[in-house]
Amino acid sequence: MYTVSSLKAELNERGWRLTPQRETILQIFQNLPKGQHLSAEDLHILLQEEGEAISLSTIYRNLKLMSRMGILRELELAEGHKHYEINQPSPYHHHHLICVRCNKTIEFKNDSILKMGAKTAQKEGYHLLDCQLTIHAICPSCQRSLLPV
Amino acid sequence: MYTVSSLKAELNERGWRLTPQRETILQIFQNLPKGQHLSAEDLHILLQEEGEAISLSTIYRNLKLMSRMGILRELELAEGHKHYEINQPSPYHHHHLICVRCNKTIEFKNDSILKMGAKTAQKEGYHLLDCQLTIHAICPSCQRSLLPV
DNA sequence: TACTTATTGAGAATAATCATTAAGAAGCCG
DNA sequence: CGGCTTCTTAATGATTATTCTCAATAAGTA
Ligand SMILES: [Mn+2]
Ligand SMILES: [Mn+2]
Ligand SMILES: [Zn+2]
Ligand SMILES: [Zn+2]
């Protein structure tokens, strides 16, 4: 599992710095209950409630940065804004099935997808940061409700 | 001088449309006193005052569009936001000398710059949209005031 | 007149700016 | 070797600017 010191190492390697804000954000995501995802706004409010407020600017900046570093995954759920979760390696790596009506999200695993992603990236000489299958769909419950569109 | 019908022609040629908003924006810039430049916000307020309000979204979208079409010029003055003016051909084509302290802006002409720009673009096979020399400086009056930085 | 689809407007999300702060590197002793 | 002081410059936070989204509208065209 990703530690604060490995974050520091990776940052420093690129001439960047470990800040309390980055450390806090990493820890929030590491301690996030399985299956939960946070938007920038969610994170902002959560931090305020915990009395560790970080500015929205900094949150946006670091969510993007940590996604590009491959530490977080940027998820396109069905709410009109991005969500994030920690990017975990193989045994925990998973994909998302999202109900576009009620936003209920199910995480599922599939090793062959990850393998294929890794192989494809490698074949092209790309450095893999994340590989996620996102399925937008309508859940059984919303199907039953028969509401138009 | 650019007319509404030539704007319509150029738009339609690309599958785009002439809207009242675009027409209004063009006319505002055409009637703008020589040497005046408008920011998105300036334009928004100006239109509100004239009772022809156009949404800020639409203003931003069209300022960018019309700049890319070569109808407007996007100016990097010294105020932290973009300004725009109509993009006029040769005899009216000009450049800008801006005081970064008081924002006083002087327009000046220089045919050789335009010629060089045109030649350079042509040599590389580029289609010239605009060619502007922007000079950021400190005006005599601000020099005299001797204020630090 | 009907039809397709670009455009608009409202609101939300995200990015940019800039002065201020503070990591991390480097130099200096003890 | 450590701690302390400097120094450079990345990062933050507050604010502002700009972009994105989506449902509703309307331009151009058949
Ligand atoms: Mn959400
Ligand atoms: Mn201005
Ligand atoms: Zn559902
Ligand atoms: Zn001046």
Side-chain angles (χ1 to χ4, degrees):
Chain A
M1 188 196 219
Y2 223 80
T3 66
V4 170
S5 60
S6 61
L7 172 61
K8 177 169 164 55
E10 279 198 39
L11 286 167
N12 291 352
E13 192 178 340
R14 312 189 198 200
W16 298 337
R17 298 172 185 177
L18 178 65
T19 63
Q21 290 87 344
R22 288 176 177 169
E23 195 172 326
T24 300
I25 292 175
L26 175 63
Q27 284 174 338
I28 290 282
F29 279 103
Q30 281 179 327
N31 299 327
L32 209 58
K34 184 168 161 2
Q36 240 198 276
H37 315 109
L38 299 180
S39 67
E41 194 61 39
D42 291 338
L43 179 56
H44 189 223
I45 291 169
L46 178 61
L47 287 167
Q48 281 180 325
E49 289 170 350
E50 296 194 357
E52 303 211 53
I54 295 180
S55 80
L56 207 47
S57 307
T58 298
I59 287 176
Y60 271 110
R61 252 186 314 239
N62 284 320
L63 288 178
K64 185 194 275 190
L65 176 71
M66 292 167 79
S67 296
R68 292 191 177 165
M69 290 176 73
I71 296 168
L72 297 180
R73 318 173 81 185
E74 194 174 76
L75 311 176
E76 298 287 354
L77 304 185
E79 292 185 46
H81 48 246
K82 290 168 183 152
H83 286 75
Y84 298 84
E85 67 176 12
I86 199 88
N87 187 14
Q88 291 184 298
S90 182
Y92 303 101
H93 183 271
H94 60 267
H95 307 276
H96 296 89
L97 169 61
I98 304 136
C99 175
V100 300
R101 295 254 181 101
C102 70
N103 294 325
K104 186 169 64 187
T105 301
I106 291 179
E107 305 188 332
F108 65 98
K109 302 191 179 180
N110 183 312
D111 285 341
S112 65
I113 292 173
L114 178 55
K115 279 181 192 152
M116 149 153 296
K119 186 192 285 180
T120 305
Q122 192 213 3
K123 188 195 292 182
E124 302 292 339
Y126 281 47
H127 174 63
L128 182 67
L129 289 178
D130 181 26
C131 168
Q132 51 176 301
L133 176 63
T134 304
I135 305 177
H136 287 176
I138 312 225
C139 71
S141 149
C142 287
Q143 288 175 48
R144 264 181 261 112
S145 68
L146 293 179
L147 290 177
V149 181
Chain B
M1 183 195 223
Y2 221 82
T3 66
V4 170
S5 59
S6 61
L7 171 61
K8 177 169 164 57
E10 280 199 39
L11 285 168
N12 291 351
E13 191 177 340
R14 313 189 198 200
W16 298 337
R17 298 173 184 177
L18 178 65
T19 63
Q21 291 87 342
R22 289 175 177 170
E23 194 172 328
T24 300
I25 293 174
L26 175 63
Q27 284 174 338
I28 290 281
F29 279 103
Q30 280 179 328
N31 299 327
L32 209 58
K34 185 169 159 358
Q36 240 197 277
H37 315 109
L38 299 180
S39 67
E41 193 61 40
D42 291 339
L43 179 54
H44 189 223
I45 291 169
L46 178 61
L47 287 166
Q48 281 180 325
E49 288 170 353
E50 296 193 358
E52 303 211 52
I54 295 179
S55 80
L56 206 46
S57 307
T58 298
I59 288 176
Y60 271 110
R61 251 187 314 240
N62 284 321
L63 289 179
K64 184 193 277 192
L65 176 71
M66 293 167 81
S67 296
R68 291 191 177 166
M69 290 176 73
I71 296 168
L72 297 180
R73 317 174 82 187
E74 194 173 77
L75 310 177
E76 298 287 353
L77 304 185
E79 292 185 47
H81 47 247
K82 290 169 183 154
H83 286 74
Y84 298 83
E85 66 177 12
I86 199 90
N87 187 14
Q88 291 184 300
S90 183
Y92 303 101
H93 184 269
H94 59 267
H95 306 276
H96 297 89
L97 170 60
I98 304 135
C99 175
V100 298
R101 296 254 182 99
C102 70
N103 294 325
K104 186 169 66 189
T105 301
I106 292 179
E107 302 188 333
F108 66 97
K109 300 191 180 180
N110 183 311
D111 285 341
S112 65
I113 291 173
L114 178 54
K115 279 181 193 152
M116 149 153 298
K119 186 193 285 180
T120 305
Q122 193 213 2
K123 188 195 292 183
E124 302 292 338
Y126 282 46
H127 174 63
L128 182 67
L129 289 178
D130 180 26
C131 167
Q132 53 176 302
L133 177 62
T134 303
I135 305 177
H136 288 177
I138 312 229
C139 72
S141 148
C142 287
Q143 287 175 48
R144 264 182 261 113
S145 69
L146 293 179
L147 291 177
V149 178

